[in-house]
Amino acid sequence: NAFVLRTVIDGYPIRGKAPEYPANSIRQIPGAFERHTFRAGGRQLTLDSIERDVIGAFDDPRALLALSRGAVGGSRLKSEAFTSERLDQQLTTMTSELVTRRVLVQVDAGNNRLSVNPMFSWREALFTRTLANRAPAGYASRSGLERAVLALIEPLVKMGMR
């Protein structure tokens, strides 16, 4: 998350012209995720490689929800460091935002619709590989990504988080 902030600060003011992203998006900074490197854990890494290879290696898609991509519709940047002692609790807190922030997930049970933030598709393989089979049988006709998101939010809904 600090590297995302550094990228935005270094690229400020952002004056992008790519029509597929908002004008002030980190995605308007050329190479922000693919080329800019940072030293972490004794290695030179891009934001993409941190997300894909380092965070993805944990095989816990909740960790992806803890990453701030600098996007308006993304996860909120927390004002605390993630620590090994509190990591499970912190990731559960991040996951709870899926049922409280409509910009992340919207469920329209009456019309049998589920809308999810594009961030899920960016790392769809991790979400589906680790979660799709955990979704209740009633969701078998849904796509793997939908089943994965539903597997994440169903326990939260049952616990009364809305």
Side-chain angles (χ1 to χ4, degrees):
N1 289 339
F3 295 148
V4 167
L5 290 173
R6 178 85 265 158
T7 302
V8 170
I9 290 167
D10 290 348
Y12 191 82
I14 298 171
R15 298 183 213 252
K17 304 225 183 311
E20 63 271 22
Y21 303 113
N24 57 354
S25 167
I26 188 174
R27 280 298 198 178
Q28 297 286 2
I29 300 171
F33 286 89
E34 306 83 16
R35 290 193 313 262
H36 294 188
T37 60
F38 301 91
R39 187 151 182 81
R43 300 172 15 195
Q44 286 295 119
L45 301 163
T46 65
L47 292 175
D48 267 346
S49 65
I50 291 169
E51 187 173 309
R52 181 187 62 244
D53 303 330
V54 177
I55 302 298
F58 290 115
D59 258 0
D60 186 343
R62 298 176 310 157
L64 294 175
L65 301 175
L67 295 177
S68 174
R69 288 183 134 254
V72 172
S75 301
R76 291 188 230 197
L77 186 59
K78 298 299 180 195
S79 59
E80 64 184 13
F82 288 89
T83 64
S84 59
E85 298 83 24
R86 298 188 50 231
L87 186 59
D88 190 59
Q89 175 192 2
Q90 290 171 309
L91 294 179
T92 298
T93 298
M94 295 301 299
T95 305
S96 71
E97 288 190 3
L98 296 177
V99 294
T100 60
R101 293 186 61 218
R102 292 182 53 87
V103 70
L104 297 173
V105 175
Q106 294 179 31
V107 177
D108 182 352
N111 291 311
N112 197 28
R113 289 198 178 133
L114 174 68
S115 299
V116 298
N117 186 290
M119 73 175 177
F120 290 99
S121 64
W122 297 332
R123 297 292 178 230
E124 182 174 351
L126 177 60
F127 281 103
T128 57
R129 182 180 75 249
T130 58
L131 291 169
N133 292 332
R134 295 186 198 171
Y139 300 128
S141 65
R142 298 285 190 165
S143 73
L145 184 57
E146 289 175 316
R147 289 192 321 272
V149 172
L150 290 165
L152 274 172
I153 67 172
E154 185 181 49
L156 299 169
V157 171
K158 283 183 177 178
M159 289 174 25
M161 293 183 182
R162 295 196 192 320

